[in-house]
Amino acid sequence: MRLPLLLLLLGLPSCNVSPSGHSGELWQVLDDVPIPSSYRPIEGRLAESEALSVGRYRSAKILLRGKSSPESAMAYMAERLPEFGWAPGASTGTWQKSDVTLELSPTNDPGGLYGLSLGESLLRLEIRAAR
């Protein structure tokens, strides 16, 4: 029984985020994750956005760029995530909801790879359901 599900999962394509708005499969998978208003998905070759949802299983990854400090982004998420049913996890930046884990990783892009302007930061969101 597990083999057909695995083949189904392998056959489904991941999707790229639509940078023009919060629509598409990615945002359906992340519909219970609030995003700070100044953050937008990274576009182009450095984009890391993908999503997969099959039944109760869901997985998504997105890299956002915004006009906020990493600390402000994390404070926003800590304030808003409980409104969406998320509870703090065992480690910093980790949140739990039923069998789903959300991991938040903020950074100032110290290597300059993403060419952030002064006052901008990156926020990586990764969501995974237990298998």
Side-chain angles (χ1 to χ4, degrees), residues 22-95:
H22 290 209
S23 61
E25 187 177 350
L26 175 67
W27 298 108
Q28 290 172 0
V29 174
L30 293 171
D31 69 345
D32 61 347
V33 178
I35 305 295
S37 63
S38 71
Y39 281 81
R40 300 287 179 259
I42 295 282
E43 300 177 30
R45 64 180 179 79
L46 298 176
E48 295 182 22
S49 301
E50 57 187 44
L52 175 66
S53 178
V54 178
R56 290 182 28 196
Y57 177 81
R58 65 180 175 155
S59 173
K61 179 171 57 170
I62 184 169
L63 182 61
L64 303 162
R65 173 185 189 156
K67 295 188 182 284
S68 181
S69 69
E71 297 80 18
S72 296
M74 292 300 278
Y76 172 87
M77 298 301 277
E79 181 181 320
R80 296 291 316 280
L81 282 168
E83 296 173 26
F84 290 81
W86 293 96
S91 59
T92 303
T94 303
W95 294 79

Side-chain angles (χ1 to χ4, degrees), residues 14-18 26 49-51:
S14 62
C15 77
N16 288 327
V17 67
S18 168
L26 175 67
S49 301
E50 57 187 44

Side-chain angles (χ1 to χ4, degrees), residues 1-10 131:
M1 278 235 157
R2 288 187 175 189
L3 184 58
L5 177 59
L6 178 61
L7 292 175
L8 176 64
L9 288 172
L10 292 175
R131 297 179 185 190

